[in-house]
Amino acid sequence: MRKTFQLILLGTVFAVSAAAQSGRRGMTPPPMPPPEKLSEPPIVLPAERASVAPAELAVMPETLLKRQLKALDNSSFSLADFSGKILVVNLWATWCGPCRREVPEYEKVRKEFAARGVEFIGLTTEDPRTSYDRVKQFARDFKFGFRLGWADRETAVALMNGRNAIPQTLVIAADGRILSHWRGYSSQGGNRLRETIEHALAEASPAAQR
């Protein structure tokens, strides 16, 4: 009787153990988490050495005024050709988005001062050997009425005065003094140009001289 009981007990333990083992084998282990994807670390360039910007030009150098510039119609001119006039010089390029927004606003100002002793000159920084047709098309599309020419490297560097960015605008008095020089496009750029020209004209008028 005792042996029979022991056999039954052993059988029960064995059955329970087997069932447990069977249950473990039947369980699907959780999937391993995917390996973390590491992005390539950014390359941090060393900070550029700070340089002191050159002082703003107060007067146009004589050499720059007399430099011969190639016009869009293949003639040539110099800024000195317009002695006695107020000069508006705009540095631009066809590929420059801000320039494309600025030109129509400047054109309105040019028309307002067409007969008031102001000469408007647009100098593109592009290469005439590769951009001639594009610049001509731009002038037609935008009805760009400025006297258009090409800014060679030396002229561009001198006018930009160490700040290599476009657009740039200079307003120059009849005696060569640079009355205002600004860079970049602003929605108020047309108004600023208009006000600067009005100030220049008032300064040059006999009434202002007295």
Side-chain angles (χ1 to χ4, degrees):
M1 182 70 178
R2 182 178 295 176
K3 288 182 179 181
T4 302
F5 177 75
Q6 288 176 344
L7 288 173
I8 292 172
L9 181 61
L10 287 173
T12 302
V13 171
F14 179 80
V16 170
S17 177
Q21 292 294 331
S22 176
R24 288 195 188 97
R25 286 195 297 269
M27 292 176 61
T28 303
M32 292 289 292
E36 183 180 358
K37 293 182 179 179
L38 298 177
S39 59
E40 184 178 349
I43 299 173
V44 180
L45 299 176
E48 294 183 3
R49 183 178 299 174
S51 59
V52 179
E56 291 287 354
L57 287 174
V59 179
M60 289 286 287
E62 192 71 16
T63 54
L64 187 55
L65 287 171
K66 292 183 176 179
R67 182 186 291 276
Q68 289 296 306
L69 303 171
K70 183 180 178 182
L72 198 59
D73 62 3
N74 291 321
S75 64
S76 63
F77 66 93
S78 72
L79 300 182
D81 293 341
F82 312 104
S83 176
K85 288 187 173 183
I86 293 165
L87 295 181
V88 174
V89 179
N90 181 240
L91 292 159
W92 66 285
T94 58
W95 48 261
C96 166
C99 301
R100 298 173 75 90
R101 292 191 290 276
E102 185 175 73
V103 166
E105 297 173 17
Y106 277 14
E107 257 303 293
K108 293 178 182 178
V109 179
R110 184 192 67 80
K111 292 176 180 177
E112 293 174 20
F113 293 92
R116 297 183 62 185
V118 184
E119 188 69 26
F120 292 80
I121 299 171
L123 297 177
T124 177
T125 58
E126 295 164 274
D127 187 338
R129 295 170 297 180
T130 57
S131 304
Y132 180 80
D133 291 339
R134 182 166 59 248
V135 171
K136 288 277 285 186
Q137 187 62 50
F138 180 96
R140 286 193 295 267
D141 292 346
F142 283 77
K143 298 179 175 58
F144 201 1
F146 279 43
R147 182 182 299 273
L148 298 178
W150 306 90
D152 57 81
R153 186 177 185 279
E154 291 77 11
T155 300
V157 168
L159 288 172
M160 290 179 178
N161 196 32
R163 296 168 176 83
N164 189 23
I166 53 174
Q168 292 197 32
T169 304
L170 297 91
V171 180
I172 305 165
D175 60 4
R177 288 178 298 115
I178 299 175
L179 301 177
S180 191
H181 182 184
W182 63 89
R183 302 162 186 85
Y185 167 76
S186 166
S187 60
Q188 297 301 313
N191 290 333
R192 179 176 184 177
L193 180 58
R194 184 179 293 105
E195 291 170 3
T196 305
I197 294 172
E198 289 284 11
H199 176 77
L201 289 170
E203 183 185 71
S205 68
Q209 301 283 331
R210 290 197 296 268

